[in-house]
Amino acid sequence: MADDCIFCKIRDGDIPSEILHRDDHCFAIRDIGPAAPTHLLVIPVEHFTFLRDMTPEFHPTLGAMFAAARDLAAAEGIDESGHRLVINQGNHAGQAVDHLHLHVLGGRPMGPVA
Ligand code: 5GP
Ligand code: ZN
């Protein structure tokens, strides 16, 4: 738990939020400022800032996050139409929340990545 981390607070129920998915490794919520008609965040239970912080014991968490993203995309109806998975890392990527998260975006054509 990192002090003053929004996603830790959502994880712990200190900030009420609709939890779309939860397992031992990760949980998922809707982004508060959606950049697409469907915009979900898949978040590891453990507070990591960067992928480089995820030592091998947490590699199963990465698998669980991608599996959750895949299943949520299907549940949201953006599987066959297509969707984008994004993990922003650090300053140049514009990472605003320092608790690592996987964006799941869909429901409109995305255009080029950058
Ligand atoms: P980043 O830029 O760090 O990759 O993405 C952070 C995302 O978290 C943004 O898309 C932002 O809208 C979302 N976000 C920030 N605060 C909250 C919050 O309190 N609740 C939810 N559901 N999303 C948040
Ligand atoms: Zn956190």
Side-chain angles (χ1 to χ4, degrees), residues 43-92:
I43 305 169
V45 168
E46 200 82 19
H47 181 105
F48 304 101
T49 300
F50 299 114
L51 284 166
R52 67 172 176 265
D53 301 330
M54 297 183 78
T55 50
E57 65 182 304
F58 290 105
H59 288 181
T61 296
L62 289 172
M65 288 171 65
F66 279 96
R70 175 200 62 199
D71 294 346
L72 286 161
E76 294 283 320
I78 56 168
D79 185 11
E80 302 213 347
S81 54
H83 52 278
R84 178 169 288 165
L85 305 180
V86 174
I87 299 178
N88 289 319
Q89 292 281 268
N91 194 27
H92 282 188

Side-chain angles (χ1 to χ4, degrees), residues 20 29-31 33-41 69 72-79 81-84 103-108 110:
L20 304 174
I29 58 176
R30 288 189 197 284
D31 197 291
T38 299
H39 187 170
L40 312 181
L41 302 171
L72 286 161
E76 294 283 320
I78 56 168
D79 185 11
S81 54
H83 52 278
R84 178 169 288 165
H103 295 258
V104 182
L105 298 143
R108 65 165 172 79
M110 292 287 142

Side-chain angles (χ1 to χ4, degrees), residues 6-38:
I6 289 166
F7 292 168
C8 283
K9 287 179 178 165
I10 291 173
R11 174 198 64 204
D12 295 342
D14 295 336
I15 297 176
S17 221
E18 182 194 6
I19 305 295
L20 304 174
H21 167 92
R22 192 191 286 274
D23 61 38
D24 289 345
H25 296 281
C26 64
F27 62 101
I29 58 176
R30 288 189 197 284
D31 197 291
I32 203 170
T38 299

